[in-house]
Amino acid sequence: MPTSADEHPGPSPAGSPAPESDWATQRREAAAERARMLRARADAEHARAARIVSLFVQVAREQGLEARPLAVQGYGGGTARTPLKGWYLRGDRTVAIDVDGHFYVLTTSLSLRQRLLGTMPVAEPVPMTIGEGGRDGDIVPLRFALERLLPGWETLSPEPLA
């Protein structure tokens, strides 16, 4: 049977917290700091990608690259019109940017109403790599996708991309 105070968890005789709770607090604080750092890194990446897309849109307008009507594809088949015009970034037409530089993932579950009347997709933060984390493994760097749409656009950009 334990008789020593060292063998009993809980507050120490002086009222200070047990070492286990100090460790747990430190781990929570470290996890929160890591999450904050990851959010800051992702925000910086999205800001950089948005700037690249903004410069692309400016060059595309100047060069007369024709924007096309964008449509959403249903998971189970079918499509729905959108009020958007822009450029598809992948050949399968699952992601696009509009003429204002917003990024859209154009696949979703579509209702009959959406198929008949159309839908408005929600803009998402622009990624530097399209398809990262997807199941099909088809990963395309943003700059490469934009280069396929308008070859040589980076040399026409009013500002350097780096």
Side-chain angles (χ1 to χ4, degrees):
M1 187 175 245
T3 57
S4 165
D6 294 336
E7 296 179 34
H8 296 287
S12 65
S16 63
E20 292 84 16
S21 68
D22 284 345
W23 179 85
T25 300
Q26 289 173 351
R27 297 307 321 140
R28 273 193 303 277
E29 290 171 357
E33 177 63 16
R34 176 134 172 86
R36 186 197 64 74
M37 290 170 51
L38 288 172
R39 273 192 307 276
R41 180 178 176 192
D43 290 347
E45 180 178 302
H46 293 310
R48 181 172 173 235
R51 180 178 168 277
I52 290 170
V53 167
S54 174
L55 291 170
F56 172 82
V57 168
Q58 184 178 347
V59 171
R61 284 183 183 144
E62 291 169 359
Q63 295 300 307
L65 183 63
E66 183 181 348
R68 300 172 180 244
L70 301 177
V72 173
Q73 297 180 32
Y75 292 137
T79 60
R81 294 180 314 247
T82 73
L84 304 171
K85 287 189 175 237
W87 305 276
Y88 292 104
L89 297 176
R90 290 178 49 162
D92 62 4
R93 298 179 173 215
T94 55
V95 293
I97 55 171
D98 70 2
V99 294
D100 296 322
H102 299 110
F103 176 81
Y104 297 93
V105 175
L106 298 174
T107 54
T108 191
S109 178
L110 292 172
S111 68
L112 178 61
R113 177 179 170 83
Q114 289 171 316
R115 290 178 193 200
L116 294 174
L117 302 177
T119 188
M120 180 61 188
V122 177
E124 298 186 15
V126 183
M128 284 298 292
T129 306
I130 299 165
E132 194 165 23
R135 294 185 300 186
D136 64 0
D138 186 15
I139 298 171
V140 179
L142 176 65
R143 289 172 68 175
F144 181 76
L146 297 174
E147 185 68 22
R148 283 193 301 199
L149 288 172
L150 186 60
W153 80 271
E154 289 186 24
T155 59
L156 301 171
S157 176
E159 300 174 26
L161 300 183

